[in-house]
Amino acid sequence: MTRFMKWLGVVVVIFIAAPLVIVVPMSFSTARSLQFPPPGYGLGYYQAYFSDPSWLIPTWNSIMIATATTVLTMLLVVPATFALVRHQFRGRSIADLMMLMPLAVPSIVMAVGYYSYFGAMGIVHTHLGVVLAHTALAVPIAFLVLSANLKGFDRTLERAAMSLGASPAKTFIHVTLPILRPGLIISALFAFIHSFDETVVSIFISGRNAETLPRKMFDSIRQEADPVIAVISTLLFALVLLGLVGPRVVAALRNRRPRAQAA
Protein backbone atom coordinates (compact mmCIF):
# COMPACT_ATOMS: atom_id res chain seq x y z
CA MET A 1 0.00 0.00 0.00
CA THR A 2 2.86 2.35 0.82
CA ARG A 3 4.54 1.68 -2.52
CA PHE A 4 1.24 2.27 -4.30
CA MET A 5 0.81 5.64 -2.59
CA LYS A 6 4.37 6.63 -3.54
CA TRP A 7 3.77 5.78 -7.19
CA LEU A 8 0.43 7.57 -7.07
CA GLY A 9 2.18 10.64 -5.69
CA VAL A 10 4.75 10.49 -8.49
CA VAL A 11 2.01 10.25 -11.11
CA VAL A 12 0.19 13.24 -9.61
CA VAL A 13 3.38 15.33 -9.55
CA ILE A 14 4.14 14.44 -13.17
CA PHE A 15 0.58 15.33 -14.18
CA ILE A 16 0.85 18.72 -12.45
CA ALA A 17 4.35 19.51 -13.74
CA ALA A 18 3.78 18.32 -17.33
CA PRO A 19 2.40 21.69 -18.58
CA LEU A 20 5.54 23.42 -17.30
CA VAL A 21 7.71 21.13 -19.41
CA ILE A 22 5.82 22.46 -22.44
CA VAL A 23 5.32 26.11 -21.49
CA VAL A 24 8.86 26.96 -20.37
CA PRO A 25 10.62 25.81 -23.56
CA MET A 26 8.00 27.54 -25.71
CA SER A 27 8.80 30.85 -24.00
CA PHE A 28 12.32 30.66 -25.53
CA SER A 29 11.02 29.58 -28.94
CA THR A 30 11.78 31.32 -32.22
CA ALA A 31 8.53 30.14 -33.83
CA ARG A 32 5.92 32.69 -34.88
CA SER A 33 3.20 30.91 -32.92
CA LEU A 34 2.90 28.48 -30.05
CA GLN A 35 4.78 25.41 -31.20
CA PHE A 36 6.23 22.43 -29.32
CA PRO A 37 8.93 21.35 -29.61
CA PRO A 38 10.38 24.76 -30.57
CA PRO A 39 12.31 24.93 -33.88
CA GLY A 40 14.92 27.12 -32.20
CA TYR A 41 15.66 28.99 -29.01
CA GLY A 42 16.16 32.67 -28.25
CA LEU A 43 15.08 35.58 -26.06
CA GLY A 44 13.07 37.42 -28.71
CA TYR A 45 9.70 37.03 -27.02
CA TYR A 46 11.08 38.09 -23.64
CA GLN A 47 12.33 41.26 -25.32
CA ALA A 48 8.95 41.69 -26.99
CA TYR A 49 7.15 41.46 -23.65
CA PHE A 50 9.36 43.92 -21.76
CA SER A 51 9.30 46.44 -24.61
CA ASP A 52 5.61 46.31 -25.56
CA PRO A 53 3.27 48.69 -23.66
CA SER A 54 0.27 46.61 -24.74
CA TRP A 55 1.58 43.89 -22.38
CA LEU A 56 3.23 46.02 -19.69
CA ILE A 57 0.18 48.21 -19.05
CA PRO A 58 -2.17 45.25 -18.33
CA THR A 59 0.54 43.76 -16.10
CA TRP A 60 0.76 46.97 -14.11
CA ASN A 61 -3.03 47.21 -13.98
CA SER A 62 -3.25 43.70 -12.55
CA ILE A 63 -0.64 44.50 -9.90
CA MET A 64 -2.40 47.71 -8.85
CA ILE A 65 -5.86 46.12 -8.86
CA ALA A 66 -4.68 43.06 -6.93
CA THR A 67 -2.95 45.27 -4.34
CA ALA A 68 -6.01 47.47 -3.87
CA THR A 69 -8.22 44.37 -3.70
CA THR A 70 -6.00 42.86 -1.01
CA VAL A 71 -6.09 46.00 1.14
CA LEU A 72 -9.85 46.41 0.82
CA THR A 73 -10.46 42.70 1.40
CA MET A 74 -8.46 42.65 4.63
CA LEU A 75 -10.16 45.83 5.87
CA LEU A 76 -13.51 44.08 5.44
CA VAL A 77 -12.57 40.55 6.45
CA VAL A 78 -10.69 41.19 9.72
CA PRO A 79 -13.54 42.93 11.63
CA ALA A 80 -16.15 40.68 10.02
CA THR A 81 -14.26 37.54 11.08
CA PHE A 82 -13.89 38.73 14.68
CA ALA A 83 -17.60 39.59 14.79
CA LEU A 84 -18.80 36.28 13.33
CA VAL A 85 -16.40 34.01 15.23
CA ARG A 86 -16.35 35.63 18.67
CA HIS A 87 -19.80 37.15 19.07
CA GLN A 88 -23.38 35.88 19.09
CA PHE A 89 -26.06 38.11 17.58
CA ARG A 90 -29.32 37.85 15.69
CA GLY A 91 -28.79 37.01 12.02
CA ARG A 92 -25.29 35.67 12.59
CA SER A 93 -25.92 32.51 10.55
CA ILE A 94 -27.32 34.57 7.66
CA ALA A 95 -24.31 36.90 7.74
CA ASP A 96 -21.99 33.89 7.76
CA LEU A 97 -23.83 32.47 4.73
CA MET A 98 -23.63 35.77 2.86
CA MET A 99 -19.87 35.93 3.42
CA LEU A 100 -19.49 32.60 1.62
CA MET A 101 -22.14 33.17 -1.06
CA PRO A 102 -19.70 34.18 -3.86
CA LEU A 103 -18.06 30.75 -3.62
CA ALA A 104 -21.36 28.99 -4.32
CA VAL A 105 -22.43 31.12 -7.29
CA PRO A 106 -20.81 30.43 -10.70
CA SER A 107 -18.35 33.11 -11.81
CA ILE A 108 -20.23 33.81 -15.04
CA VAL A 109 -23.39 34.56 -13.05
CA MET A 110 -21.48 36.91 -10.78
CA ALA A 111 -19.86 38.59 -13.79
CA VAL A 112 -23.21 39.27 -15.48
CA GLY A 113 -24.64 40.61 -12.24
CA TYR A 114 -21.67 42.92 -11.65
CA TYR A 115 -21.83 44.14 -15.25
CA SER A 116 -25.48 45.13 -14.91
CA TYR A 117 -25.15 46.60 -11.42
CA PHE A 118 -21.92 48.48 -12.02
CA GLY A 119 -23.22 49.66 -15.40
CA ALA A 120 -26.05 51.44 -13.64
CA MET A 121 -23.49 53.02 -11.29
CA GLY A 122 -21.23 54.08 -14.18
CA ILE A 123 -18.12 52.24 -12.97
CA VAL A 124 -17.87 49.54 -15.65
CA HIS A 125 -14.52 49.60 -17.48
CA THR A 126 -12.87 51.39 -14.56
CA HIS A 127 -10.25 50.35 -12.02
CA LEU A 128 -12.72 50.97 -9.20
CA GLY A 129 -15.27 48.60 -10.69
CA VAL A 130 -12.71 45.82 -11.12
CA VAL A 131 -11.41 46.30 -7.57
CA LEU A 132 -14.91 46.12 -6.08
CA ALA A 133 -15.79 43.01 -8.11
CA HIS A 134 -12.54 41.26 -7.22
CA THR A 135 -12.98 42.18 -3.56
CA ALA A 136 -16.41 40.57 -3.47
CA LEU A 137 -14.88 37.37 -4.87
CA ALA A 138 -11.81 37.43 -2.60
CA VAL A 139 -13.66 38.09 0.68
CA PRO A 140 -14.95 34.51 1.21
CA ILE A 141 -11.52 32.99 0.57
CA ALA A 142 -9.79 35.30 3.02
CA PHE A 143 -12.64 34.82 5.51
CA LEU A 144 -12.29 31.03 5.48
CA VAL A 145 -8.55 31.17 6.11
CA LEU A 146 -8.71 33.78 8.86
CA SER A 147 -11.74 32.27 10.62
CA ALA A 148 -9.99 28.89 10.79
CA ASN A 149 -7.03 30.57 12.52
CA LEU A 150 -9.22 32.58 14.85
CA LYS A 151 -11.29 29.56 15.95
CA GLY A 152 -8.11 27.84 17.11
CA PHE A 153 -6.92 30.89 19.04
CA ASP A 154 -6.48 30.45 22.80
CA ARG A 155 -8.27 33.41 24.35
CA THR A 156 -6.73 32.78 27.76
CA LEU A 157 -3.64 34.57 26.42
CA GLU A 158 -5.69 37.73 25.91
CA ARG A 159 -7.30 37.41 29.33
CA ALA A 160 -3.88 37.00 30.92
CA ALA A 161 -2.59 40.14 29.18
CA MET A 162 -5.62 42.21 30.23
CA SER A 163 -5.41 40.89 33.80
CA LEU A 164 -1.88 42.31 33.93
CA GLY A 165 -3.17 45.75 33.02
CA ALA A 166 -2.97 45.78 29.21
CA SER A 167 -5.72 47.66 27.41
CA PRO A 168 -7.78 45.93 24.70
CA ALA A 169 -5.84 47.82 22.02
CA LYS A 170 -2.44 46.82 23.46
CA THR A 171 -3.65 43.25 23.89
CA PHE A 172 -4.66 43.09 20.26
CA ILE A 173 -1.40 44.62 19.00
CA HIS A 174 1.03 42.71 21.23
CA VAL A 175 -0.79 39.39 21.78
CA THR A 176 -3.56 38.73 19.26
CA LEU A 177 -1.94 40.18 16.15
CA PRO A 178 1.43 38.35 16.43
CA ILE A 179 -0.31 35.00 16.88
CA LEU A 180 -2.71 35.60 13.98
CA ARG A 181 0.01 37.08 11.75
CA PRO A 182 0.52 33.88 9.66
CA GLY A 183 -3.23 33.63 9.03
CA LEU A 184 -3.42 37.31 8.09
CA ILE A 185 -0.50 36.97 5.68
CA ILE A 186 -1.96 33.86 4.05
CA SER A 187 -5.39 35.51 3.76
CA ALA A 188 -3.87 38.57 2.10
CA LEU A 189 -1.78 36.38 -0.20
CA PHE A 190 -4.81 34.39 -1.31
CA ALA A 191 -6.75 37.60 -1.93
CA PHE A 192 -3.90 39.00 -4.05
CA ILE A 193 -3.48 35.81 -6.09
CA HIS A 194 -7.22 35.41 -6.62
CA SER A 195 -7.51 38.98 -7.90
CA PHE A 196 -4.41 38.77 -10.09
CA ASP A 197 -5.59 35.49 -11.65
CA GLU A 198 -9.30 36.32 -12.05
CA THR A 199 -10.42 36.19 -15.69
CA VAL A 200 -14.19 35.78 -16.10
CA VAL A 201 -15.26 38.88 -14.17
CA SER A 202 -12.38 40.89 -15.64
CA ILE A 203 -13.60 40.15 -19.16
CA PHE A 204 -16.98 41.70 -18.33
CA ILE A 205 -15.86 44.58 -16.12
CA SER A 206 -12.36 45.72 -17.04
CA GLY A 207 -12.56 46.98 -20.63
CA ARG A 208 -9.66 48.78 -22.32
CA ASN A 209 -9.23 51.43 -19.63
CA ALA A 210 -8.57 48.87 -16.88
CA GLU A 211 -7.47 45.84 -18.89
CA THR A 212 -5.93 43.17 -16.70
CA LEU A 213 -3.22 40.71 -17.65
CA PRO A 214 -5.51 37.62 -17.68
CA ARG A 215 -7.93 39.43 -20.01
CA LYS A 216 -5.07 40.48 -22.29
CA MET A 217 -3.82 36.89 -22.40
CA PHE A 218 -7.31 35.61 -23.17
CA ASP A 219 -7.80 38.11 -26.00
CA SER A 220 -4.34 37.36 -27.38
CA ILE A 221 -4.74 33.59 -27.51
CA ARG A 222 -8.21 33.98 -29.00
CA GLN A 223 -6.97 36.18 -31.84
CA GLU A 224 -3.43 35.10 -32.71
CA ALA A 225 -1.93 32.77 -30.05
CA ASP A 226 0.94 35.13 -29.32
CA PRO A 227 3.95 33.20 -27.88
CA VAL A 228 4.42 36.06 -25.40
CA ILE A 229 1.77 34.21 -23.37
CA ALA A 230 4.34 31.49 -22.71
CA VAL A 231 6.80 34.15 -21.51
CA ILE A 232 4.29 35.53 -19.00
CA SER A 233 3.44 32.03 -17.79
CA THR A 234 7.12 31.25 -17.28
CA LEU A 235 7.73 34.50 -15.39
CA LEU A 236 4.76 33.87 -13.10
CA PHE A 237 5.98 30.34 -12.43
CA ALA A 238 9.44 31.69 -11.64
CA LEU A 239 7.97 34.18 -9.15
CA VAL A 240 5.97 31.46 -7.42
CA LEU A 241 9.01 29.19 -7.30
CA LEU A 242 11.10 32.03 -5.87
CA GLY A 243 8.46 32.70 -3.23
CA LEU A 244 8.44 29.04 -2.19
CA VAL A 245 12.16 28.32 -2.32
CA GLY A 246 13.51 31.76 -1.33
CA PRO A 247 12.46 31.72 2.35
CA ARG A 248 13.87 28.22 2.80
CA VAL A 249 17.18 29.22 1.29
CA VAL A 250 17.35 32.27 3.54
CA ALA A 251 16.51 30.17 6.60
CA ALA A 252 19.16 27.60 5.65
CA LEU A 253 21.79 30.34 5.28
CA ARG A 254 20.85 31.82 8.66
CA ASN A 255 21.18 28.42 10.33
CA ARG A 256 24.52 27.80 8.66
CA ARG A 257 26.11 31.02 10.00
CA PRO A 258 25.88 30.10 13.72
CA ARG A 259 27.24 26.65 12.96
CA ALA A 260 30.15 28.12 11.05
CA GLN A 261 30.89 30.58 13.86
CA ALA A 262 30.72 27.79 16.45
CA ALA A 263 33.08 25.66 14.39
Side-chain angles (χ1 to χ4, degrees):
M1 184 66 181
T2 304
R3 182 177 297 179
F4 171 76
M5 294 303 296
K6 289 182 178 179
W7 281 108
L8 180 61
V10 171
V11 171
V12 172
V13 170
I14 293 175
F15 178 78
I16 294 175
L20 300 176
V21 178
I22 298 176
V23 171
V24 175
M26 284 196 303
S27 67
F28 297 95
S29 175
T30 57
R32 294 185 177 181
S33 61
L34 294 174
Q35 180 180 343
F36 186 83
Y41 295 93
L43 298 175
Y45 289 112
Y46 282 87
Q47 182 179 359
Y49 170 71
F50 286 106
S51 61
D52 189 353
S54 66
W55 284 105
L56 295 179
I57 292 176
T59 302
W60 180 243
N61 285 339
S62 290
I63 294 174
M64 290 193 302
I65 290 171
T67 302
T69 298
T70 302
V71 174
L72 183 57
T73 297
M74 298 309 296
L75 289 176
L76 295 174
V77 165
V78 171
T81 304
F82 274 85
L84 291 173
V85 173
R86 290 192 170 183
H87 301 281
Q88 297 290 337
F89 53 89
R90 183 177 298 178
R92 176 174 175 269
S93 58
I94 298 177
D96 197 358
L97 179 63
M98 294 301 295
M99 289 287 292
L100 302 177
M101 184 64 70
L103 290 178
V105 180
S107 297
I108 187 66
V109 177
M110 298 291 290
V112 174
Y114 290 141
Y115 182 80
S116 302
Y117 184 66
F118 290 167
M121 297 174 61
I123 57 175
V124 174
H125 301 167
T126 64
H127 290 80
L128 176 61
V130 180
V131 169
L132 293 177
H134 285 190
T135 300
L137 297 177
V139 160
I141 299 175
F143 172 73
L144 286 175
V145 176
L146 189 57
S147 62
N149 283 265
L150 191 58
K151 288 177 181 178
F153 185 87
D154 187 3
R155 298 199 65 182
T156 57
L157 299 174
E158 294 177 332
R159 298 188 184 99
M162 287 187 286
S163 67
L164 295 174
S167 64
K170 289 185 177 180
T171 301
F172 177 80
I173 294 174
H174 297 288
V175 178
T176 308
L177 188 60
I179 297 176
L180 294 179
R181 186 178 301 162
L184 292 170
I185 294 175
I186 295 175
S187 298
L189 183 61
F190 271 102
F192 184 91
I193 294 174
H194 188 272
S195 174
F196 191 89
D197 190 56
E198 215 293 317
T199 305
V200 178
V201 173
S202 298
I203 292 175
F204 280 79
I205 304 298
S206 62
R208 291 187 175 274
N209 296 330
E211 186 178 26
T212 61
L213 186 60
R215 171 171 179 156
K216 172 64 177 177
M217 295 174 69
F218 177 80
D219 292 339
S220 178
I221 199 170
R222 185 181 61 178
Q223 296 173 3
E224 56 183 352
D226 193 341
V228 175
I229 297 174
V231 173
I232 299 171
S233 301
T234 302
L235 293 175
L236 293 177
F237 169 70
L239 289 175
V240 173
L241 187 63
L242 181 63
L244 294 175
V245 178
R248 297 186 178 183
V249 173
V250 173
L253 292 176
R254 288 180 178 177
N255 294 331
R256 183 177 298 180
R257 289 179 181 177
R259 295 177 182 177
Q261 293 175 357

